[in-house]
Amino acid sequence: VHRQHLVELQAKLDELHPADVAHLLEALPLEDRLMVWQLVKAERDGDILLEVSDAVRETLIADMDDQELLAAAREMDADALADLAAELPRDMVHELMEGLDAQQRERLRSALSYEEDQVGALMDFAMVTIREDVSLEVVLRYLRRLKELPGHTDKLFVVDYDGVLKGVLPIKRLLVSDPDKTVAQIMAIDPVLFHPDEDAYEAAQAFERYNLVSAPVVDKNGKLIGRLTIDEIVDLIREESESEVLNMAGLREEEDIFASVWKSVRNRWFWLAVNLMTAFVASRVIGLFDDTISELVALAALMPIVAGIGGNSGNQTITMIVRAMALDQLTTGKGNTLRLLRKELSVALINGLVWGGVIGVVAAVLYDSLGLGLVMVSAMTLNLLLAALMGVLIPMTLARLGRDPAMGASVMITAVTDSGGFFIFLGLASLCLM
Amino acid sequence: VHRQHLVELQAKLDELHPADVAHLLEALPLEDRLMVWQLVKAERDGDILLEVSDAVRETLIADMDDQELLAAAREMDADALADLAAELPRDMVHELMEGLDAQQRERLRSALSYEEDQVGALMDFAMVTIREDVSLEVVLRYLRRLKELPGHTDKLFVVDYDGVLKGVLPIKRLLVSDPDKTVAQIMAIDPVLFHPDEDAYEAAQAFERYNLVSAPVVDKNGKLIGRLTIDEIVDLIREESESEVLNMAGLREEEDIFASVWKSVRNRWFWLAVNLMTAFVASRVIGLFDDTISELVALAALMPIVAGIGGNSGNQTITMIVRAMALDQLTTGKGNTLRLLRKELSVALINGLVWGGVIGVVAAVLYDSLGLGLVMVSAMTLNLLLAALMGVLIPMTLARLGRDPAMGASVMITAVTDSGGFFIFLGLASLCLM
């Protein structure tokens, strides 16, 4: 009976699109995932490996022997191999390279030479090139001879004899123009184009801004070397936003939801350790005021409120600013920094007086002490001002130093507002209430 | 001289793509933004309004009088008007509707009838339809007569006399096939299609999974009523990830970075108020242990460490799970919940024993008390277990109740780990050390 089920499952898998099989594999716990993986027809292995996330791909590759892996990788072109190469054994990459023709090998080598976040790592080589002096009629006949066009072909690339890009011919112009015209007459001569060492995130913004489907990539001499397509850009945008969310929560990288306990521990320990250290510093700050607290134990109960609201408010500010920077809406110029500081400090002042006022009244009534209430209002306002100040300065400074303004920003701001909040509150209390 | 500068600036603005002008406006403080906006030629107003973010669009519309606004909106088709309608005065929308022909009016009315997150609100109406019984030669001639094709036309829609979708003809097949063949012979009869009341985020996943550029939208009788294009989907993916980041930081909606102080206060007060309430609850929990703290003031210094690391770890868990749910990789079935609970509790146990152990040793040495060290280890482990438990149960429960699992998840988990952490730590200390 079990065998019968497997046969049925296999038949169903064969009907699914590789992307759907990939999605199914993502959503299965490890043992079930490997069971399904075994049922997938070997010739589809390659397509599916290219669709799954890095975390899941690792588990699938670990389950394949060298023969299977080699068979799957042999089907791939240079562009696909480049995506996979990081996870294959080094020897195998060499062996695969030798199996490629000279052009494909050169392309693979070049794709592997770029960083993950550069245009060169995202480009593919499936371009249709034409010459500018032929008529559209000739172009149409040429396309018909190709039998198949690469996916996302919304424009043809016009190059000269040396392969230098002269312009692009959008398919939609090709279709509506008089076939007797030449390519040169209707091509766009000033297309959006990219260089392989450009930042991929900036390319993604250009794709969004100009609603591109594909775009040429040229080297520094203007020679066409590849193209970018919207499907890669969509994946990049998705990954970018995910890594932002993950970074903020203190996860180092994408984690397969059904990963083993040890893998999860390894992925998460770093930010927990950082958090532990900053919490320890905050604890030592409190330790400075032991005497004050033992005289007025209410302070111990109230201090987390001051620290907590500072952290929340600081995170609001820093999120806003990191986001504006990611969207390229904010430069690190002095004028902008001052203007933002003025605004954020004003918001903090209002929030501090209003919410500090509310909680100050509550504290004054609860502990029957006007002084305590006043210390509470002052401390909350000061800590919110500190949160606003650091919420602007931390990402601005990181960016000016050429670092990612999101990385660890949330942990840093919380560390400042915790230690700062405890110090301000307990310090004011020692000065005013003792 | 100033006048001279303005003329130059205007000339430069005229050369820019509307999307670039929009980007410039986003990056300018309010007064500069409105100055530039005045310089933009009136006939480009509409295009630019459609490109800017909601927050910035509001500031621009507030600066226009009714005449200008009407002139800009009159240029738009139903699809564009639908995007703008929410921000226009009600009377004006009526007036604009009367200026449209019957078909456009019907389309606008239908687009406005869908929720923001439904396919119907994202679709446009720029479709090229053909019949299945004609030859490709005829199709090519028909396209040539159109003079221009809508953007993102990678396929033509094949419909019958009643407008029912029969299939799609990908342009890349049209270009490589024999012109004597008929549409019916080469069209794809089983295309990915959407219904107007479907969830837009699911449509976005389908676009990503099948690398679509455009797709038909049909009503329940199979009649073609519009199409989705990748540019709208890219905007949606960007917005989705932004709102996830903003929600987590306690910002209610997109905030223009140069918004006025009052607007920022209004946008941020809600989550600050929620945070204040949960912090107050945590404060009352500490208040329960006043006597214990006044006997052993070291507890006041150590308790934020226990609460803080619980919050950090709980946020890691909840982020993982919310993300897997957003990507549709996790169902709320009982098997999955139990499996995840087992994994997350194991991770928490290891982290608690390791990091709790480290900080326990430090505390024992620092305060010269083995008992205090042991209480620290136990409290940290228990609070991490609590964080893992709630980190799994909160989003799973929200999802089962049909709510957004991300909304407020971070505030909730922090509330639990704060109050819970203080209670566990101070409770254990009262029991064991007093």
Side-chain angles (χ1 to χ4, degrees):
Chain A
V1 178
H2 185 61
R3 218 187 148 68
Q4 178 63 26
H5 275 158
L6 286 184
V7 173
E8 278 171 31
L9 180 57
Q10 184 156 35
K12 271 189 194 135
L13 285 172
D14 288 347
E15 283 168 23
L16 287 179
H17 188 285
D20 290 322
V21 178
H23 182 247
L24 181 66
L25 291 170
E26 300 269 350
L28 286 175
L30 191 60
E31 60 265 49
D32 299 349
R33 183 188 298 157
L34 296 182
M35 195 265 288
V36 169
W37 184 230
Q38 291 298 341
L39 290 181
V40 171
K41 285 238 170 69
E43 70 260 28
R44 302 180 75 200
D45 281 3
D47 288 340
I48 294 167
L49 280 180
L50 291 172
E51 297 278 355
V52 293
S53 66
D54 291 353
V56 168
R57 186 185 296 154
E58 220 176 284
T59 65
L60 298 181
I61 286 184
D63 189 56
M64 296 169 81
D65 64 33
D66 280 10
Q67 286 313 312
E68 290 173 309
L69 208 46
L70 215 68
R74 274 221 187 88
E75 305 286 305
M76 297 180 187
D77 59 13
D79 158 46
L81 267 181
D83 289 344
L84 212 64
E87 278 135 276
L88 295 178
R90 236 165 192 287
D91 296 353
M92 193 174 296
V93 176
H94 275 284
E95 197 177 332
L96 287 165
M97 269 201 169
E98 278 163 28
L100 296 174
D101 65 34
Q103 188 195 35
Q104 290 280 320
R105 187 159 47 218
E106 195 35 58
R107 285 174 170 177
L108 175 56
R109 197 166 286 148
S110 123
L112 289 177
S113 71
Y114 296 103
E115 302 286 327
E116 212 184 358
D117 58 356
Q118 286 184 314
V119 165
L122 288 188
M123 67 185 177
D124 68 57
F125 308 102
M127 304 157 290
V128 180
T129 57
I130 51 174
R131 299 259 180 270
E132 61 180 325
D133 53 0
V134 298
S135 72
L136 300 187
E137 180 66 46
V138 171
V139 172
L140 288 170
R141 262 188 285 133
Y142 169 64
L143 295 180
R144 234 163 260 151
R145 275 210 309 275
L146 287 180
K147 295 274 189 301
E148 204 187 338
L149 295 181
H152 296 96
T153 298
D154 74 322
K155 48 178 71 83
L156 308 175
F157 301 112
V158 185
V159 295
D160 67 14
Y161 261 95
D162 300 319
V164 171
L165 186 75
K166 309 299 284 183
V168 299
L169 175 59
I171 297 284
K172 39 181 275 200
R173 280 202 208 170
L174 170 64
L175 286 173
V176 300
S177 301
D178 177 355
D180 293 332
K181 288 196 172 157
T182 66
V183 169
Q185 281 176 297
I186 67 156
M187 71 182 184
I189 53 169
D190 198 16
V192 180
L193 49 78
F194 300 98
H195 296 280
D197 50 1
E198 257 179 279
D199 180 21
Y201 299 111
E202 278 169 29
Q205 278 179 26
F207 264 75
E208 282 184 74
R209 206 178 293 168
Y210 306 119
N211 295 328
L212 301 175
V213 171
S214 76
V217 180
V218 301
D219 69 11
K220 56 185 183 306
N221 303 317
K223 221 173 121 175
L224 180 70
I225 53 173
R227 63 164 193 164
L228 281 182
T229 53
I230 183 72
D231 54 329
E232 293 283 347
I233 296 292
V234 169
D235 291 348
L236 183 76
I237 292 173
R238 182 68 88 177
E239 274 166 32
E240 185 188 11
S241 70
E242 265 164 27
S243 73
E244 196 179 338
V245 173
L246 295 179
N247 278 346
M248 286 199 147
L251 294 160
R252 286 220 282 185
E253 52 181 56
E254 193 183 7
E255 183 181 320
D256 167 12
I257 186 120
F258 295 113
S260 73
V261 170
W262 283 114
K263 269 197 98 143
S264 298
V265 169
R266 280 210 309 276
N267 188 32
R268 302 185 197 176
W269 78 268
F270 178 76
W271 284 112
L272 282 181
V274 171
N275 181 259
L276 200 66
M277 284 197 305
T278 65
F280 185 71
V281 171
S283 161
R284 298 315 298 153
V285 171
I286 299 172
L288 296 176
F289 298 95
D290 268 2
D291 299 343
T292 316
I293 292 175
S294 48
E295 261 186 74
L296 188 58
V297 74
L299 298 177
L302 293 174
M303 64 187 187
I305 301 182
V306 177
I309 201 146
N312 191 324
S313 170
N315 266 308
Q316 291 181 334
T317 301
I318 217 164
T319 301
M320 280 264 321
I321 290 180
V322 165
R323 218 194 107 238
M325 284 181 158
L327 295 178
D328 213 12
Q329 286 170 3
L330 190 63
T331 52
T332 53
K334 214 169 173 182
N336 269 337
T337 310
L338 283 179
R339 189 189 301 268
L340 269 177
L341 267 180
R342 209 162 46 220
K343 176 193 153 193
E344 291 298 324
L345 289 174
S346 309
V347 173
L349 189 66
I350 293 170
N351 278 329
L353 293 176
V354 172
W355 297 116
V358 169
I359 207 77
V361 169
V362 173
V365 171
L366 206 60
Y367 294 99
D368 194 21
S369 155
L370 183 62
L372 190 57
L374 288 174
V375 166
M376 198 75 194
V377 186
S378 323
M380 280 193 49
T381 308
L382 287 174
N383 200 30
L384 287 178
L385 290 172
L386 177 67
L389 185 70
M390 300 310 286
V392 174
L393 291 186
I394 289 176
M396 291 292 224
T397 309
L398 284 173
R400 225 174 281 185
L401 297 175
R403 312 298 287 267
D404 176 0
M407 198 62 194
S410 180
V411 175
M412 276 197 250
I413 192 85
T414 310
V416 171
T417 51
D418 273 3
S419 294
F422 293 139
F423 185 79
I424 291 168
F425 179 61
L426 296 174
L428 278 180
S430 319
L431 287 177
C432 307
L433 304 177
M434 292 301 117
Chain B
V1 178
H2 184 62
R3 219 187 146 67
Q4 178 63 26
H5 275 161
L6 285 185
V7 173
E8 278 171 32
L9 180 56
Q10 185 156 35
K12 272 190 193 136
L13 284 173
D14 288 347
E15 282 168 25
L16 288 179
H17 188 284
D20 290 322
V21 179
H23 182 247
L24 181 67
L25 292 170
E26 300 268 350
L28 288 174
L30 192 60
E31 60 265 50
D32 299 349
R33 182 188 298 157
L34 296 181
M35 196 264 288
V36 169
W37 183 231
Q38 292 299 343
L39 291 179
V40 171
K41 286 237 170 68
E43 70 261 27
R44 303 181 75 202
D45 281 2
D47 288 340
I48 294 166
L49 280 180
L50 290 172
E51 296 278 355
V52 294
S53 66
D54 291 353
V56 168
R57 187 186 295 154
E58 219 177 287
T59 65
L60 299 181
I61 287 184
D63 189 56
M64 296 168 81
D65 63 33
D66 280 10
Q67 286 312 314
E68 291 173 310
L69 208 46
L70 225 94
R74 273 218 187 89
E75 305 286 306
M76 296 179 189
D77 58 15
D79 159 45
L81 268 182
D83 290 345
L84 211 65
E87 278 135 274
L88 296 178
R90 236 164 191 288
D91 296 353
M92 193 174 295
V93 176
H94 275 285
E95 196 175 331
L96 286 166
M97 268 201 170
E98 277 164 27
L100 296 175
D101 65 34
Q103 189 195 37
Q104 289 280 321
R105 187 159 47 216
E106 194 34 57
R107 284 174 170 176
L108 175 56
R109 198 165 286 149
S110 125
L112 289 177
S113 71
Y114 295 103
E115 301 286 327
E116 211 183 0
D117 58 356
Q118 286 185 312
V119 164
L122 289 187
M123 66 184 178
D124 69 55
F125 307 102
M127 306 157 288
V128 180
T129 57
I130 51 174
R131 300 257 181 269
E132 61 180 324
D133 53 0
V134 299
S135 73
L136 300 186
E137 180 66 48
V138 171
V139 172
L140 287 170
R141 263 189 282 133
Y142 169 65
L143 294 180
R144 232 162 260 150
R145 276 210 309 275
L146 287 181
K147 296 274 188 300
E148 204 187 338
L149 295 181
H152 296 96
T153 298
D154 73 323
K155 49 177 69 82
L156 309 175
F157 301 111
V158 185
V159 294
D160 67 13
Y161 261 95
D162 300 319
V164 172
L165 186 75
K166 309 298 286 181
V168 298
L169 176 60
I171 297 285
K172 40 181 272 201
R173 280 203 208 171
L174 170 65
L175 286 172
V176 299
S177 300
D178 178 354
D180 293 331
K181 287 198 173 157
T182 65
V183 169
Q185 281 176 297
I186 68 155
M187 71 182 184
I189 53 168
D190 197 17
V192 180
L193 50 78
F194 300 97
H195 297 281
D197 50 0
E198 259 179 279
D199 181 21
Y201 298 111
E202 279 170 29
Q205 279 180 23
F207 264 76
E208 283 184 73
R209 207 179 292 169
Y210 307 119
N211 295 329
L212 301 174
V213 171
S214 74
V217 180
V218 300
D219 70 11
K220 57 185 181 306
N221 303 316
K223 223 173 119 171
L224 180 71
I225 54 173
R227 62 164 195 164
L228 282 182
T229 54
I230 184 71
D231 54 330
E232 294 283 347
I233 296 291
V234 168
D235 291 347
L236 183 75
I237 292 173
R238 183 68 89 179
E239 274 166 33
E240 185 189 9
S241 70
E242 266 164 28
S243 72
E244 195 178 337
V245 173
L246 295 180
N247 278 345
M248 286 199 146
L251 295 159
R252 286 219 283 185
E253 53 180 54
E254 194 183 6
E255 183 179 319
D256 167 14
I257 187 120
F258 295 113
S260 73
V261 171
W262 283 114
K263 269 198 96 145
S264 298
V265 170
R266 280 211 308 277
N267 189 33
R268 301 184 197 178
W269 78 268
F270 178 76
W271 284 111
L272 282 181
V274 172
N275 182 261
L276 200 66
M277 283 197 305
T278 65
F280 185 71
V281 171
S283 161
R284 298 314 297 151
V285 170
I286 299 171
L288 296 176
F289 297 95
D290 269 1
D291 298 342
T292 316
I293 293 175
S294 49
E295 261 186 73
L296 187 57
V297 74
L299 297 178
L302 293 174
M303 64 188 188
I305 301 182
V306 177
I309 201 145
N312 191 325
S313 169
N315 266 309
Q316 291 182 334
T317 300
I318 216 164
T319 302
M320 281 266 320
I321 290 180
V322 165
R323 217 194 108 240
M325 283 181 160
L327 295 178
D328 213 12
Q329 286 170 4
L330 191 61
T331 51
T332 52
K334 216 169 172 183
N336 268 337
T337 310
L338 284 179
R339 189 190 300 268
L340 270 176
L341 268 179
R342 209 161 48 219
K343 176 192 154 194
E344 292 298 324
L345 289 174
S346 308
V347 173
L349 189 66
I350 293 170
N351 278 329
L353 293 175
V354 172
W355 297 116
V358 169
I359 207 78
V361 169
V362 172
V365 170
L366 206 59
Y367 294 98
D368 194 20
S369 156
L370 183 62
L372 190 57
L374 288 174
V375 165
M376 199 74 195
V377 187
S378 322
M380 279 192 52
T381 308
L382 287 174
N383 200 29
L384 287 178
L385 289 172
L386 176 68
L389 184 70
M390 300 311 286
V392 175
L393 291 186
I394 289 176
M396 290 291 223
T397 309
L398 283 173
R400 226 174 279 184
L401 295 175
R403 313 297 288 266
D404 177 1
M407 197 65 194
S410 181
V411 175
M412 277 197 250
I413 192 84
T414 310
V416 171
T417 52
D418 274 3
S419 294
F422 293 139
F423 185 79
I424 291 168
F425 179 60
L426 296 175
L428 277 180
S430 320
L431 286 178
C432 308
L433 304 178
M434 292 300 117

